[in-house]
Structure formats: structure tokens, C-alpha cells
Amino acid sequence: MGKRHDKRKVVIVLLIIGTALGFYMYSAFSEKLTKSTDLSDESIGGFKVLDNISSPEFIREYGEPIDQDNNHAYDYYYWKGGLKTASINKDEEKGKIMRLIISSTDDALYENALQTSKGIKLGSKKADVLKKYGDHYYKSYEQGADIIGYIDHKRNITLEFWCVPGGRVGEIRLDDADVI
């Protein structure tokens, strides 16, 4: 009876590991498996991924950054009006926007006038996102948010809606799909 019990334990452990690994693989690659959505008209605050924060147009609209966070690959800047960007921080591509973010503070969860090209803004309902952007999306879960993401394979751009408990959009990210 002891050997049979040990075999069951091994099978159960292997099933758990296999399920966890399968979920991880699906989460890691679901973005690439999702059907493409045309995001060619998508911008946030009038700017698109691959625009440059040093351009005269960007400077005219947003001026100087309010605050800055840096990491090894990108400079994160906070701008007036609630825009946050991640841009390349070295070489000839310095300032190229790789991520545009609409977010809020805990004090004013949905207070931000910025919106997507289809009118989704902070506080919009998850159902409105699906109605305006369609059924070809991937799902993820990170930092307590239920994430609905769309990818444009041709342009290598993603658009993610981070929904907080209650099903409302708490953050929006327009990214180059290769942002790490």
C-alpha cells in the first residue's frame, strides 16, 4: 500500500507542476497568440509610440517633466496632465517613446482627462473597452489588476487596460510590444 500511495503523490505533484507550467507558458505567450488589432490610429495625449520626447511638438505640449524615475533601459518621466512616458535613455535613440501611460494617484483614482483614440479613459467600464476594441485580446493579471490587452502584430504595439477590482480601468498603457 505504501508504494501505491507514493506513486499517487508523485502523480499529483507532476500534475500540479504541469498545470503551473502550462499556465505560465500560456500567460507568457498569449500576447503573441492573440489575433492582431489595428492600433495604427492609437495615441495618448496626441503622441504615439516611437515619437520623441525631445521633439518640438512634444516640448510645446508638455514642457519639462515634473518628475523622473530611471532604470537600466528606460527613463520614466511624469508630465503635466497625468501623462507618464518610458523612453530610451542612451545613444542616438535617446528620448524615443516606448511606453505611454495614463494613470492616477490613490487620492484621485479616475481623475485624468487623457483618453485613447476610441474614448476609453480612467474609470471606463471593462465592458466599454470590449465594446470599442473588440474580442481579440489577451488577458493577464499583475499587481492586483485584471489586464485586457490588444496587440497590433504589424506595428508591434500593444494597448493594455489595467482594470481594478470593480471592473473599471485604473491604468492604460500603449507600448512598443518589446518593452520589458
Side-chain angles (χ1 to χ4, degrees), residues 80-147:
K80 70 178 182 179
L83 179 67
K84 184 177 177 183
T85 60
S87 58
I88 295 175
N89 60 11
K90 55 186 159 223
D91 301 327
E92 67 278 348
E93 293 190 323
K94 184 172 177 57
K96 184 187 287 186
I97 299 170
M98 301 302 285
R99 171 178 283 162
L100 293 140
I101 302 171
I102 303 172
S103 62
S104 60
T105 66
D106 290 336
D107 296 335
L109 187 58
Y110 302 126
E111 297 300 317
N112 191 316
L114 295 172
Q115 61 186 12
T116 68
S117 66
K118 294 186 179 183
I120 300 295
K121 58 186 179 179
L122 299 184
S124 293
K125 295 177 184 174
K126 185 177 177 179
D128 293 333
V129 171
L130 298 175
K131 188 185 310 177
K132 292 191 178 191
Y133 284 93
D135 296 332
H136 303 298
Y137 61 90
Y138 59 90
K139 291 183 76 168
S140 184
Y141 188 81
E142 188 177 325
Q143 300 174 23
D146 180 20
I147 302 168

Side-chain angles (χ1 to χ4, degrees), residues 7-105:
K7 286 182 182 180
R8 284 186 186 160
K9 283 183 182 178
V10 169
V11 168
I12 290 171
V13 168
L14 289 175
L15 282 172
I16 292 170
I17 291 171
T19 302
L21 184 60
F23 181 74
Y24 170 77
M25 295 298 285
Y26 175 78
S27 295
F29 295 104
S30 65
E31 181 180 302
K32 300 296 182 197
L33 299 174
T34 302
K35 286 186 180 180
S36 193
T37 298
D38 182 0
L39 299 174
S40 60
D41 291 333
E42 203 58 58
S43 67
I44 292 178
F47 293 90
K48 296 182 175 204
V49 171
L50 305 183
D51 283 346
N52 198 299
I53 61 171
S54 300
S55 72
E57 297 82 15
F58 192 92
I59 293 169
R60 190 171 31 259
E61 182 69 28
Y62 291 100
E64 295 293 320
I66 296 167
D67 201 1
Q68 177 179 357
D69 293 327
N70 298 327
N71 69 24
H72 70 283
Y74 306 108
D75 288 335
Y76 281 84
Y77 292 103
Y78 299 83
W79 305 92
K80 70 178 182 179
L83 179 67
K84 184 177 177 183
T85 60
S87 58
I88 295 175
N89 60 11
K90 55 186 159 223
D91 301 327
E92 67 278 348
E93 293 190 323
K94 184 172 177 57
K96 184 187 287 186
I97 299 170
M98 301 302 285
R99 171 178 283 162
L100 293 140
I101 302 171
I102 303 172
S103 62
S104 60
T105 66

